[in-house]
Amino acid sequence: MKLSELFASDGTGVIATASAKGEVNVAMYAAPHIIDDETVAWGMTDSTTFNNIWENPRAAFLYRQSGKGYAGCRMTLELREVEDSGRLIDVIRSSTRSAAGEQAAAWVSHVAYFRVVEVRPLL
């Protein structure tokens, strides 16, 4: 299944990260931006999640599609690169502005690109 098909409907996402010391963090995240068949990206703020992936490039993402049952996926991720400017961060800030307001859009300061290491179903 293509990555774009995994996020075709609304849902809820959670990203899990750990610091270099192994301190775990989980945070709610929207569906990722699909870059290609092996790469996804999210806009990020200067937060625990961002600090953790900077220290430890491995993360996990769980996405549950809306509705009955447990449609969705689990992904194992590895950080590829971070950008602090460019077209994608502008797109993310614009959609954040529409959904959550100007202040929330201003907090988005990075785009983190991840290689998708593995995709598994929820169950």
Side-chain angles (χ1 to χ4, degrees):
M1 178 177 278
K2 293 187 175 234
L3 288 177
S4 59
E5 295 172 4
L6 295 173
F7 307 103
S9 64
D10 290 335
T12 302
V14 177
I15 194 166
T17 60
S19 70
K21 294 179 182 179
E23 298 162 338
V24 176
N25 181 65
V26 295
M28 299 291 290
Y29 266 73
H33 293 266
I34 308 302
I35 306 305
D36 58 38
D37 288 339
E38 298 177 350
T39 311
V40 294
W42 283 275
M44 294 194 164
T45 63
D46 288 317
S47 63
T48 302
T49 299
F50 180 75
N51 292 333
N52 282 355
I53 63 155
W54 197 250
E55 291 180 12
N56 174 358
R58 298 189 191 319
F61 182 68
L62 179 146
Y63 188 78
R64 182 179 177 273
Q65 293 176 0
S66 296
K68 288 187 172 190
Y70 293 95
C73 67
R74 296 175 286 163
M75 296 191 311
T76 304
L77 307 167
E78 186 169 12
L79 183 67
R80 278 188 146 163
E81 67 178 301
V82 173
E83 293 179 345
D84 297 331
S85 63
R87 184 196 65 78
L88 186 53
I89 199 167
D90 293 339
V91 167
I92 292 169
R93 284 179 179 148
S94 178
S95 63
T96 301
R97 186 176 295 107
S98 296
E102 188 62 43
Q103 184 63 45
W107 288 336
V108 177
S109 50
H110 314 285
V111 176
Y113 293 84
F114 292 88
R115 178 176 72 89
V116 178
V117 176
E118 181 182 28
V119 177
R120 297 177 292 164
L122 285 182
L123 299 178

